[in-house]
Every structure is written in structure tokens, then in C-alpha cells.
Amino acid sequence: MAEAYDFPETGTVVDVGDGLGGLLVEILRRRPGLGGVLFELASALPDHVLGELGDDSRVRAQVGDFFGSVPPADVHVLEYVLHDWTDEQCARISRNCRRALNEGGRVVVVDAALPSGNEPHFGKLLDLMMMVAVPGGERTEADFARLFDQAGLRLTRALPTDGSLSIVEGVPRCGARPVRC
Ligand SMILES: C[S@@+](CC[C@H](N)C(=O)[O-])C[C@H]1O[C@@H](n2cnc3c(N)ncnc32)[C@H](O)[C@@H]1O
């Protein structure tokens, strides 16, 4: 993911629900001019791995609830987060990201985006597991486009990675409030 997406050289990336912060560490290792925030529930933060970056003032951890609000960012990353939640809950999380985006910012979702056809795909197995465990599930690119639309975002691209995950990018939709197009 850190390799596959063209993160900006400067600004702030907020990894929303990054767990221990491993993805954020990998992103910041590749972008010395970028700052980062690991945004998580208090219960998940004690074991974070941000120390792997050494004494790095670019990065910090912040406790919070993504259903309330998220910190401002140039890029909000949601990896393996939306598949835990219903469309309504995902729209709320995504809307909170849109509201907190800096000018020119983007929301980047990383999930096992399902192909629309009948071919085998790891995401379909994951979808079954999610169906049993949580209210959410895996989504197709069209599902993400609809979900983004509800959150005032426009899907700009869906990129494959070397693994079974896809990167789905959204930007604020013209006409959405507050307007940032
Ligand atoms: C499936 S894990 C994904 C972790 C990480 N992004 C990854 O790719 O491995 C979902 C994460 O969302 C966090 N989370 C759940 N509810 C949250 C909330 N309301 N606000 C912030 N983070 C939350 C959990 O603590 C957990 O670390």
C-alpha cells in the first residue's frame, strides 16, 4: 500500500483506525517531508509501533472516535476499516474525513474491492468472514462510488496493489458542504 499509492511529498496523512501504526510507519519512511497522525481508540494505542521511526517529531498518536470527528489531513487513509461497518456507518466515517480534509485533500480507502463478476477472489472469502463477524462486508468499486457519494465525495480512481487489496481514492464532490472542489 505504501508503495502502490502516490502519497504527497509534504502535508499530513492521518491513518484513521491504523491499529498499531505499521502502515503509517511505512508511509513516512518513504516520504521524509510528510507528517503523520495515528488516529485510534485509546484501547488500541498502548502497543503502537511509531517508535520504529526513532525520535521523529513528524509523527504522533491521537486518541479519538471516527464516528465523532477525525483530525485535519491532506490524506485520510482507511485501511481495512470500512469493511467492518454498514453503508450508513461508513458514510458517516467518510463524511467526517471529508469535513476534515485540507484544500486539495483526498480520502484513500484500502479494502479487498470485489470484482463484479463470478471469478474467484480473496475478497469473496473475506466477505464471508466479515458477514459472520461484523455488520459490514467487502464492496465493489461501484459500492464504494455510491458510498462516497453519500459522504459528499467523488471516486477518482481505484488502483490495484501487489496483494488482494485495492486502493480507492475519493475527493470532495462539488456541491457537497462544506465545498472544497
Ligand atoms: C480491522 S482493524 C484495521 C487496522 C489497520 N488499519 C490495518 O489495516 O491493519 C480496525 C481498526 O479500527 C479501530 N477502530 C474501531 N472503531 C474505531 C473508532 N470508533 N474510532 C477510531 N478507531 C476505531 C480499531 O481499534 C482497529 O484498530
Side-chain angles (χ1 to χ4, degrees):
M1 157 60 185
E3 282 293 335
Y5 186 72
D6 55 336
F7 284 95
E9 297 294 335
T10 58
T12 303
V13 56
V14 174
D15 203 330
V16 180
D18 187 21
L20 301 183
L23 174 60
L24 190 57
V25 166
E26 291 305 323
I27 294 168
L28 295 185
R29 277 191 176 133
R30 288 163 174 79
R31 291 284 187 280
L34 196 61
V37 179
L38 162 58
F39 184 75
E40 256 293 350
L41 294 175
S43 53
L45 278 183
D47 298 324
H48 74 69
V49 298
L50 300 181
E52 289 180 10
L53 289 167
D55 186 15
D56 194 329
S57 60
R58 296 179 300 148
V59 69
R60 66 185 171 87
Q62 181 173 331
V63 172
D65 171 7
F66 50 49
F67 289 111
S69 64
V70 301
D74 299 285
V75 181
H76 287 106
V77 176
L78 293 158
E79 184 190 61
Y80 274 142
V81 168
L82 296 188
H83 76 167
D84 285 348
W85 304 101
T86 64
D87 283 354
E88 200 174 66
Q89 290 167 317
C90 288
R92 187 159 163 199
I93 299 167
S94 306
R95 200 175 299 121
N96 285 341
C97 291
R98 174 179 62 75
R99 287 183 176 137
L101 275 181
N102 296 332
E103 191 76 38
R106 354 172 190 156
V107 177
V108 174
V109 173
V110 188
D111 260 324
L114 298 173
S116 48
N118 255 343
E119 66 267 33
H121 189 274
F122 165 74
K124 296 180 179 179
L125 177 60
L126 197 55
D127 192 32
L128 283 174
M129 292 164 63
M130 302 315 285
M131 212 182 285
V132 173
V134 293
E138 304 307 323
R139 295 179 170 86
T140 63
E141 189 178 326
D143 293 332
F144 281 115
R146 267 193 300 276
L147 199 149
F148 277 3
D149 194 55
Q150 287 172 36
L153 293 163
R154 176 172 56 84
L155 193 153
T156 41
R157 41 186 184 149
L159 307 167
T161 64
D162 283 348
S164 350
L165 292 177
S166 292
I167 299 170
V168 185
E169 180 193 71
V171 299
R173 183 162 49 79
C174 293
R177 296 285 181 270
V179 182
R180 282 199 186 100
C181 301

